[in-house]
Amino acid sequence: MKSLKYLFTIALIALFFVGCKYDFIVPEEVPVIDPDDPDAEEISFSADIIPIFESKCVACHKTGGQLPDLSAANAFSSLNSTRYINSSTPEESLIYTRPNPDNTDSHPKYSATEAVYVLGWIQQGAKNN
Ligand code: HEC
């Protein structure tokens, strides 16, 4: 009976330490790029957008593959058309809407941060910078 008590006490102490362990799930910190802020970060097509295409898109959207061709060499000229870029309503640009994380279909998606960058790039004039 006594050893049971000890066991119980030890278990309680152990629970005290183990039970209070939290695994924090840090949510993705999505940047905000205000199109009306002249001091907003300038998004670079070559440094910010091309790497997104390379990591997530060129497996299919490569030269001679699925259109648009998003390979580093051809991405800008492929996208530089009203089919993909809607400069008056950037949120409606196909290059932003088709892989949008809000879509529920099976086409690959941008992460929330990548979507902010692609939209920001269009809002800043979709430059070949
Ligand atoms: C697994 C292959 C695959 C990957 C990876 C992929 N796509 Fe696609 N994408 C397709 C296919 C197939 C279509 C055509 C059918 C459709 O619209 O769903 C398409 C269509 C599109 C369209 C519309 C083209 C048009 O002219 O109508 C855009 C824009 C697009 N993808 C952008 C992207 C971007 C940006 C990425 C990377 C985030 C990406 N895709 C990743 C397969 C892929």
Side-chain angles (χ1 to χ4, degrees), residues 73-123:
N74 299 322
F76 185 79
S77 53
S78 312
L79 295 180
N80 191 18
S81 91
T82 51
R83 177 167 182 84
Y84 297 109
I85 310 276
N86 183 332
S87 43
S88 50
T89 317
E91 305 73 37
E92 287 176 11
S93 302
L94 196 54
I95 192 59
Y96 173 67
T97 57
R98 191 68 196 83
N100 198 281
D102 291 341
N103 290 345
T104 51
D105 62 16
S106 63
H107 182 272
K109 311 278 182 289
Y110 296 129
S111 69
T113 299
E114 289 165 346
V116 165
Y117 272 84
V118 171
L119 181 61
W121 170 70
I122 301 166
Q123 287 168 334

Side-chain angles (χ1 to χ4, degrees), residues 1-95:
M1 200 53 198
K2 215 172 182 186
S3 64
L4 243 168
K5 251 188 189 167
Y6 278 126
L7 218 89
F8 191 65
T9 312
I10 290 167
L12 263 183
I13 293 169
L15 264 178
F16 177 77
F17 286 108
V18 176
C20 296
K21 183 176 169 289
Y22 287 100
D23 282 324
F24 287 104
I25 298 169
V26 182
E28 183 184 353
E29 217 179 288
V30 181
V32 177
I33 297 163
D34 180 355
D36 300 320
D37 177 3
D39 297 327
E41 173 190 356
E42 164 138 67
I43 297 158
S44 154
F45 186 68
S46 58
D48 300 315
I49 306 299
I50 288 289
I52 300 173
F53 294 160
E54 286 187 327
S55 70
K56 290 210 168 159
C57 317
V58 292
C60 304
H61 294 274
K62 57 185 173 226
T63 310
Q66 179 65 46
L67 290 175
D69 175 352
L70 298 177
S71 65
N74 299 322
F76 185 79
S77 53
S78 312
L79 295 180
N80 191 18
S81 91
T82 51
R83 177 167 182 84
Y84 297 109
I85 310 276
N86 183 332
S87 43
S88 50
T89 317
E91 305 73 37
E92 287 176 11
S93 302
L94 196 54
I95 192 59

